[in-house]
């Protein structure tokens, strides 16, 4: 099997490669600095100092006080925690499954929408949950008028990529592995307006709200990733714009395709629909040529379900089926973006011919 080329990986919204500088900061905490952050000896002090440095770095990128940052295992946990605390909630129809599924189980309401524009809840709710950047299309969503409800934002596809504004936001979920940090670590931001019930009871860690021995290497990595992102945000954004433009220029050779973009869209995510083909087949064709992207349809236990987010936008079944997501990252190059788009153009033409 030939080696995988990181520059050909265009699925950065699913997860991103670990930044080498982040990995270097994490390594001592797997080794000599293995202490439990809550121990009273030198090993414990060193681990706790590193956790608090990381908390300050995450807080700095979020634009909040370090005391408002509670470490979790990732955005799925943070999102579930928020909804379990506030089941009297209304959520947008565009949310990630880690909001959408618990919201369904808890009987939360779903906000109405006209395209990407969200309607205000019809009756008062305790909490409104609206992600900032949609993970499938990159659309930047705006919170509707909420009449005194708490506001939760899933910032998973925003942190480290676009400027985060926490004005008017009470709760926010973030995850390290989308910004070149490690998997299995994230955080919940909770403003001092919010009284949270503990997620896990036990040893009293994380202000007694989320018990369990801290994942010190992961937390250190999250902090390091935030510090790198703060330094590179403008440069990364410019790079993503250039990659996106490169792909769009090459795709312009094809007929019958469209973008699922919003007027306000993250440059990091490009959702495109090709009529007459299946997104999954295109993903497999690109994979056979060494490129990674992802399909727009939710595939579970072998069956392809109509995509919930694209259906909420009013996309036809045909268009939804032929959707792929290309998500850009630091390690991609203009040459690899050109290569990916050329592979897509060839594969779409081939698949359409086969279909006739
Ligand atoms: N929310 C959004 C918008 C996401 O894109 C993801 C990851 N796909 C998550 C939540 C879940 O994050 P995690 O992997 O940290 O659980």
């Amino acid at each position: 099997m030939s080696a995988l080329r990181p520059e050909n990986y265009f699925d950065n919204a699913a997860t991103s490669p670990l930044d080498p500088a982040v990995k270097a900061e994490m390594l001592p905490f797997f080794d000599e600095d293995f202490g439990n952050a809550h121990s009273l000896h030198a090993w414990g002090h060193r681990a706790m100092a590193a956790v608090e440095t990381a908390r300050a770095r995450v807080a700095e990128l979020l634009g909040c006080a370090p005391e408002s940052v509670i470490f979790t295992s990732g955005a799925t946990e943070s999102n579930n925690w928020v909804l379990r605390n506030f089941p009297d909630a209304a959520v947008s129809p565009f949310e990630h499954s880690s909001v959408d599924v618990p919201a369904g189980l808890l009987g939360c309401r779903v906000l109405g929408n006209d395209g990407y524009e969200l309607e205000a809840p019809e009756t008062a709710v305790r909490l409104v949950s609206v992600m900032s950047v949609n993970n499938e299309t990159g659309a930047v969503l705006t919170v509707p008028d909420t009449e005194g409800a708490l506001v939760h934002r899933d910032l998973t596809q925003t942190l480290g990529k676009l400027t985060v504004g926490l004005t008017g936001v009470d709760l926010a979920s973030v995850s390290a592995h989308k910004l070149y940090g490690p998997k299995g670590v994230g955080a919940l931001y909770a403003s001092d307006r919010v009284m949270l019930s503990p997620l896990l009871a036990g040893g009293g860690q994380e202000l007694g709200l989320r018990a369990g021995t801290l994942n010190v290497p992961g937390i250190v990595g999250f902090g390091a990733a935030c510090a790198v992102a703060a330094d590179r945000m403008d440069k990364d954004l410019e790079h993503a714009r250039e990659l996106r433009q490169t792909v769009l220029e090459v795709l312009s050779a094809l007929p019958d395709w469209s973008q699922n973009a919003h007027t306000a869209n993250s440059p990091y995510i490009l959702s495109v629909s090709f009529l007459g083909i299946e997104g999954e087949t295109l993903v497999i064709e690109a994979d056979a040529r060494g490129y990674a992207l992802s399909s727009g349809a939710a595939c579970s236990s072998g069956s392809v379900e109509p995509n919930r987010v694209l259906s909420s936008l009013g996309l036809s079944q045909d268009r939804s089926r032929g959707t792929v997501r290309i998500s850009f990252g630091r390690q991609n190059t203009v040459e690899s973006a050109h290569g990916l788009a050329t592979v897509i153009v060839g594969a779409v033409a081939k698949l359409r011919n086969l279909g006739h």
Side-chain angles (χ1 to χ4, degrees), residues 2-306:
S2 59
L4 299 175
R5 297 165 66 103
E7 66 272 28
N8 289 355
Y9 177 85
F10 287 90
D11 200 11
N12 294 278
T15 196
S16 53
L18 190 68
D19 185 297
V22 170
K23 181 176 166 187
E25 287 206 39
M26 290 172 70
L27 286 177
F29 295 91
F30 289 109
D31 251 321
E32 67 273 17
D33 283 326
F34 58 84
N36 182 324
H38 286 82
S39 297
L40 293 178
H41 42 62
W43 282 264
H45 295 321
R46 285 169 75 127
M48 186 51 102
V51 164
E52 292 315 322
T53 300
R55 199 187 307 279
R57 287 168 141 185
V58 175
E60 167 114 38
L61 190 59
L62 274 168
C64 68
E67 310 81 77
S68 307
V69 174
I70 308 156
F71 288 115
T72 64
S73 68
T76 297
E77 180 181 317
S78 303
N79 286 340
N80 272 263
W81 189 6
V82 169
L83 290 172
R84 284 185 204 176
N85 259 265
F86 302 103
D88 176 18
V91 308
S92 96
F94 303 119
E95 297 306 297
H96 185 261
S97 50
S98 56
V99 167
D100 185 70
V101 173
L105 293 171
L106 293 160
C108 303
R109 278 169 267 175
V110 179
L111 294 170
N113 69 297
D114 177 7
Y116 284 115
E117 301 310 323
L118 293 163
E119 290 159 13
E122 279 170 12
T123 50
V125 281
R126 180 91 174 89
L127 177 112
V128 169
S129 180
V130 178
M131 72 204 316
S132 158
V133 170
N134 179 264
N135 52 300
E136 295 192 38
T137 67
V140 177
L141 302 172
T142 309
V143 184
D145 193 358
T146 53
E147 296 212 353
L150 295 172
V151 173
H152 169 237
R153 304 222 72 180
D154 179 348
L155 300 178
T156 308
Q157 298 291 346
T158 313
L159 188 70
K161 297 185 173 146
L162 304 173
T163 308
V164 168
L166 289 180
T167 312
V169 176
D170 301 289
L171 292 146
S173 305
V174 289
S175 179
H177 72 103
K178 310 287 184 180
L179 63 145
Y180 311 92
K183 293 164 187 58
V185 59
L188 178 67
Y189 155 79
S191 79
D192 49 18
R193 229 161 65 99
V194 178
M195 282 291 293
L196 278 173
S197 307
L199 176 70
L200 299 172
Q205 291 91 345
E206 297 298 272
L207 307 171
L209 293 171
R210 202 263 184 191
T213 302
L214 295 181
N215 168 9
V216 179
I219 290 170
V220 166
F222 190 11
C226 288
V228 174
D231 269 358
R232 303 189 42 138
M233 194 122 87
D234 292 344
K235 193 170 143 200
D236 283 352
L237 199 57
E238 202 38 56
H239 185 51
R241 287 200 181 106
E242 196 182 3
L243 297 168
R244 185 187 185 87
Q245 199 46 41
T246 303
V247 170
L248 287 173
E249 274 164 23
V250 178
L251 292 186
S252 65
L254 272 174
D256 296 330
W257 65 278
S258 48
Q259 266 193 72
N260 304 308
H262 187 23
T263 40
N265 216 86
S266 166
Y268 286 95
I269 299 181
L270 173 61
S271 170
V272 275
S273 306
F274 301 97
L275 277 183
I277 65 150
E278 302 279 340
E280 289 70 43
T281 318
L282 188 51
V283 170
I284 293 163
E285 288 278 332
D287 181 47
R289 286 160 187 76
Y291 288 92
L293 67 161
S294 96
S295 71
C299 190
S300 60
S301 51
S303 70
V304 178
E305 304 279 328

